[in-house]
Amino acid sequence: MEPWERASRRVLSRTLTLAHGSGGRETAEIIEKIILAFIPDDLKRVEGGTGTDILDDSALIPVGEGYIAVTSDSYTVDPLFFPGGSIGVLAASGAINDLLMSGARPIAVLDDIIAVEGFPIETLSRVVYDFERVLVENRVALIGGDFKVVPKHEGPQLVIATTGIGYTEHPIIDTRIRDGDKIIVSGHVGDHGAAVLSARGAFGLKLEIKSDVKPLTDLMIPLHEKYHEYIHAAGDPTRGGLAMLLNEWAKKNGIAIAILEDAIPIHEEVKSYSELLGIDPLSLASEGVAVLAVEPSMADEIVEFMRSRGYRHATIIGEARSPRSEQYKGLVIARTSAGGYRIVEEPSGEIVPRIC
Amino acid sequence: MEPWERASRRVLSRTLTLAHGSGGRETAEIIEKIILAFIPDDLKRVEGGTGTDILDDSALIPVGEGYIAVTSDSYTVDPLFFPGGSIGVLAASGAINDLLMSGARPIAVLDDIIAVEGFPIETLSRVVYDFERVLVENRVALIGGDFKVVPKHEGPQLVIATTGIGYTEHPIIDTRIRDGDKIIVSGHVGDHGAAVLSARGAFGLKLEIKSDVKPLTDLMIPLHEKYHEYIHAAGDPTRGGLAMLLNEWAKKNGIAIAILEDAIPIHEEVKSYSELLGIDPLSLASEGVAVLAVEPSMADEIVEFMRSRGYRHATIIGEARSPRSEQYKGLVIARTSAGGYRIVEEPSGEIVPRIC
């Protein structure tokens, strides 16, 4: 049997489903069993750096005193324009935020654009304008990319793949969470997911809610400068939302994460919309929110600092715990509003496809 | 009028055509008038580096004594498997070759994969295997990427965007061509384009020809080590073929390039197939060929060296000339087999869509 056959038989399904691309459990399965199947461990990173060995927000390549940080993501959001943003804003902000979450200062991006035959040039121009406006406002250079056109079809009309390049002397690597670390979010979660879903007219409902998509440069650069030694992990809860991010952290660090549901800032509208759709709002994507795991003694000061920078809803939502019992390792446990406890699962199933 | 409207009106067409993605004149128009419309000059590169200001094979970011080289391209070839290769081999080789053409040693790649719902997991696995085999053979690390699934549609079933990262202390920047420089090709041109076209069964003809797709590491690393100070430009003639590459060089350097048609190695089959299709074989893509502009006094030695490394058909095909008359600047002129002269135009029109 050929190696690619052997790898594919380890996946339960014979064909890809939308769930495989939702950023939840099924995506993790494809990445582990197929995408990383033929790469030996010593080629999962550059010597002295990080890469697909730990699958952090950015890969790190050592240079001199510091590291070049690199990240790459593709964007296929439907619709291309939604309340609060567009695929252009998303593709630029996403790359910038991934760099910031690694403790890096974003310096440049490259963009590969694939459009369908017949796509209006004015719409392309508007998307490019949105994309480049974010770059200009954040002083990030556009240093390369690619442009392709594919024959007319009913599928995604525009896809952007963005690569971001940054630099840091103090990387934030998400495998450094310790017992007692406080978990902080910078603002309301789930707005992006809810806004895109609503823009699709799911359930015939139009929400007032806008996507939170934005680069977090104004928050993360000063925060990192002042507090980097106390920040043990940082991430943006995009595909799979807060639920996916915290599950990844719990697994990577062999810890449990305990959160208070009531402490998590979620807009009322997002909450009731999620109930209606029967989904956990914690699995809805945010595109302008930072989640941090920080030294407990510094948590209050860091929250204060975030609030003073305009992130008024920044707050502590829980903490990391080194559980005595093996069975709690890798779990995210929420104390519910009703006073009970529930396990916050890794999202699975289709969740919200083509959210980013 | 909004800036994106103003930009879009500078393009003649109102909607995208396949020609806009063929890598010829129309692609250049979209890149100039739309893709780079809203980026100020100082954000087209990182301070001390290069980027969309010169649109070379890779962008350069200065670090310490050298440069990090970065390149990004998307691949949408149809069919996914063709004689001599697959989208996986292509996506890995393409990134590696772009780095090599900038004089950089490839160190790592990131890949964003977008597949359609219903895509067979075994086929995905085979593409990933092909991709990673090239990385392993060339000791290049896979340090990041992304995986998405889009709803079922009749368009491209699989798209890969690859970012390549390399390092060099002696970059090859294609704006350094001088009067008299010899133009060298490393082997037969146009095989990839002809093989893909033939795999589609265009004209009901099946050629014996295989794609030349391969990483040029075994050629470019030793060549660069020994001769970098004599290599004034290097490129791989992918989309738009040799015709596009030489036209770009002529324009960027304000020179004329004179070539001898008879000197260009082209397989007989590719030649007659091109005639049948009514296209210039010089506009057919190669994916495993290097083109160099070198110091004239070293040209013969360099060709000898290339041949000794297994590139038996390496040969001088022409030279750069600083024309006395302005009207010849930026032109590529070929002496034809019949003994006359013709201008080798920048390819335009659809040429061969979805060739890479």
Side-chain angles (χ1 to χ4, degrees):
Chain A
M1 198 188 300
E2 299 285 355
W4 60 84
E5 294 175 57
R6 203 156 40 235
S8 69
R9 292 196 188 179
R10 296 177 55 217
V11 178
L12 205 61
S13 171
R14 296 272 64 79
T15 58
L16 288 173
T17 63
L18 289 176
H20 285 118
S22 283
R25 182 178 301 171
E26 295 85 350
T27 304
E29 189 194 8
I30 292 289
I31 289 173
E32 181 204 329
K33 297 185 180 164
I34 306 287
I35 308 291
L36 299 179
F38 316 107
I39 277 285
D41 283 346
D42 66 330
L43 287 181
K44 287 184 176 166
R45 54 181 175 76
V46 171
E47 184 76 33
T50 64
T52 48
D53 52 347
I54 61 167
L55 294 168
D56 215 332
D57 304 282
S58 311
L60 298 171
I61 298 172
V63 291
E65 300 294 292
Y67 298 87
I68 289 282
V70 195
T71 177
S72 190
D73 272 298
S74 63
Y75 299 88
T76 68
V77 63
D78 168 40
L80 298 177
F81 297 86
F82 46 81
S86 72
I87 190 171
V89 180
L90 191 63
S93 305
I96 289 173
N97 286 343
D98 275 348
L99 295 170
L100 292 168
M101 296 308 142
S102 292
R105 178 181 292 272
I107 54 180
V109 302
L110 300 87
D111 64 337
D112 296 339
I113 300 178
I114 304 165
V116 78
E117 185 185 3
F119 193 83
I121 286 176
E122 191 177 311
T123 312
L124 174 69
S125 183
R126 182 159 192 184
V127 167
V128 170
Y129 175 80
D130 279 1
F131 183 86
E132 296 181 359
R133 193 172 41 78
V134 174
L135 301 188
V136 171
E137 284 168 8
N138 290 273
R139 301 293 304 157
V140 171
L142 176 66
I143 59 170
D146 183 30
F147 181 74
K148 294 236 157 75
V149 179
V150 294
K152 217 183 274 284
H153 63 75
E154 297 304 309
Q157 302 293 291
L158 189 74
V159 172
I160 305 181
T162 313
T163 296
I165 319 270
Y167 179 77
T168 178
E169 290 181 1
H170 304 287
I172 301 172
I173 299 173
D174 295 350
T175 52
R176 297 174 179 170
I177 303 178
R178 304 174 205 163
D179 187 29
D181 277 0
K182 297 294 183 190
I183 309 294
I184 296 172
V185 299
S186 69
H188 291 90
V189 301
D191 287 6
H192 177 74
V196 171
L197 264 186
S198 151
R200 281 185 209 157
F203 281 72
L205 274 176
K206 285 275 176 193
L207 297 189
E208 288 300 311
I209 212 85
K210 275 187 184 175
S211 166
D212 59 322
V213 59
K214 64 169 264 187
L216 291 161
T217 321
D218 60 352
L219 173 68
M220 292 303 292
I221 297 283
L223 194 64
H224 184 263
E225 226 159 65
K226 198 159 175 187
Y227 296 109
H228 63 80
E229 58 195 300
Y230 308 111
I231 302 173
H232 301 154
D236 51 343
T238 58
R239 275 193 304 176
L242 192 60
M244 192 64 192
L245 179 65
L246 295 182
N247 268 284
E248 282 172 0
W249 282 2
K251 277 219 185 68
K252 274 187 196 176
N253 291 275
I255 49 155
I257 293 179
I259 56 174
L260 291 169
E261 271 196 347
D262 279 351
I264 303 170
I266 307 177
H267 285 116
E268 271 313 319
E269 272 195 299
V270 173
K271 246 184 230 177
S272 43
Y273 194 56
S274 302
E275 258 172 49
L276 208 72
L277 298 181
I279 51 179
D280 184 348
L282 300 187
S283 69
L284 281 177
S286 303
E287 293 285 349
V289 170
V291 186
L292 309 175
V294 307
E295 185 75 31
S297 62
M298 296 301 290
D300 288 332
E301 184 178 331
I302 288 174
V303 166
E304 245 356 278
F305 182 84
M306 292 167 83
R307 291 183 179 167
S308 76
R309 308 293 304 192
Y311 290 77
R312 293 186 299 120
H313 301 281
T315 189
I316 297 171
I317 62 161
E319 60 183 42
R321 287 187 197 153
S322 193
R324 261 157 293 176
S325 162
E326 279 295 319
Q327 66 179 337
Y328 294 112
K329 284 192 180 166
L331 290 188
V332 179
I333 297 154
R335 185 168 171 88
T336 64
S337 311
Y341 291 91
R342 72 171 176 105
I343 289 175
V344 180
E345 305 263 10
E346 261 184 331
S348 81
E350 294 193 7
I351 321 174
V352 187
R354 298 191 63 206
I355 206 75
C356 61
Chain B
M1 198 189 299
E2 299 286 356
W4 60 84
E5 294 176 58
R6 202 156 42 234
S8 69
R9 292 196 189 179
R10 296 176 55 217
V11 178
L12 204 62
S13 171
R14 296 272 62 81
T15 57
L16 288 173
T17 63
L18 289 176
H20 286 119
S22 283
R25 182 179 300 172
E26 295 84 351
T27 304
E29 188 193 11
I30 291 289
I31 288 172
E32 182 203 329
K33 296 186 180 165
I34 305 287
I35 308 292
L36 299 179
F38 316 106
I39 278 285
D41 283 346
D42 66 331
L43 287 180
K44 287 184 177 167
R45 54 180 175 76
V46 170
E47 184 75 34
T50 63
T52 49
D53 52 346
I54 60 166
L55 294 168
D56 214 332
D57 304 282
S58 311
L60 297 171
I61 299 173
V63 290
E65 300 294 290
Y67 298 87
I68 289 282
V70 195
T71 177
S72 191
D73 272 298
S74 63
Y75 299 88
T76 68
V77 62
D78 167 39
L80 298 177
F81 298 86
F82 46 81
S86 71
I87 189 171
V89 179
L90 191 63
S93 305
I96 289 173
N97 286 343
D98 275 348
L99 295 169
L100 292 168
M101 296 308 144
S102 292
R105 179 180 290 271
I107 55 181
V109 302
L110 300 86
D111 65 337
D112 297 339
I113 299 178
I114 303 165
V116 78
E117 185 186 2
F119 193 84
I121 286 177
E122 190 177 313
T123 312
L124 175 69
S125 183
R126 183 160 191 181
V127 167
V128 170
Y129 174 80
D130 279 1
F131 183 86
E132 296 181 358
R133 193 173 40 79
V134 174
L135 301 189
V136 170
E137 284 168 7
N138 290 272
R139 300 293 304 156
V140 172
L142 176 65
I143 60 170
D146 183 29
F147 182 74
K148 293 236 157 73
V149 179
V150 294
K152 217 183 273 287
H153 63 75
E154 297 304 309
Q157 303 292 291
L158 189 74
V159 173
I160 304 181
T162 312
T163 296
I165 319 270
Y167 178 77
T168 178
E169 291 181 1
H170 304 287
I172 302 172
I173 299 173
D174 294 350
T175 52
R176 297 175 178 168
I177 303 178
R178 304 173 206 163
D179 187 30
D181 277 0
K182 297 293 182 190
I183 309 294
I184 296 171
V185 299
S186 68
H188 291 89
V189 300
D191 287 5
H192 178 73
V196 172
L197 264 185
S198 150
R200 283 187 207 154
F203 281 72
L205 275 177
K206 286 274 176 193
L207 297 190
E208 287 300 311
I209 211 87
K210 277 188 182 173
S211 166
D212 59 324
V213 61
K214 65 168 262 187
L216 291 162
T217 321
D218 60 350
L219 173 68
M220 292 304 291
I221 297 281
L223 194 63
H224 184 263
E225 225 159 68
K226 198 157 176 187
Y227 296 108
H228 63 82
E229 58 195 302
Y230 309 111
I231 302 173
H232 300 154
D236 51 343
T238 58
R239 275 192 304 175
L242 192 61
M244 192 66 193
L245 179 66
L246 295 182
N247 268 284
E248 282 171 1
W249 282 1
K251 278 218 185 68
K252 274 187 194 175
N253 291 276
I255 49 155
I257 292 179
I259 56 174
L260 291 168
E261 273 196 347
D262 279 351
I264 303 170
I266 307 177
H267 284 118
E268 271 313 317
E269 272 195 298
V270 173
K271 247 184 230 177
S272 43
Y273 195 55
S274 302
E275 257 172 49
L276 209 71
L277 299 179
I279 52 181
D280 184 349
L282 300 187
S283 69
L284 281 177
S286 303
E287 293 285 349
V289 170
V291 185
L292 310 173
V294 307
E295 185 73 31
S297 62
M298 296 300 291
D300 289 331
E301 184 178 332
I302 288 174
V303 166
E304 244 357 278
F305 182 83
M306 292 166 81
R307 290 183 179 167
S308 77
R309 308 292 305 191
Y311 290 77
R312 291 186 299 121
H313 301 281
T315 189
I316 297 171
I317 61 162
E319 61 183 41
R321 287 186 197 154
S322 194
R324 261 157 293 178
S325 161
E326 278 297 319
Q327 66 179 339
Y328 293 112
K329 282 191 181 168
L331 291 187
V332 179
I333 298 155
R335 185 170 172 87
T336 64
S337 310
Y341 290 91
R342 71 171 175 108
I343 289 176
V344 179
E345 305 264 8
E346 260 183 330
S348 81
E350 295 191 8
I351 321 174
V352 188
R354 298 189 64 205
I355 206 73
C356 62

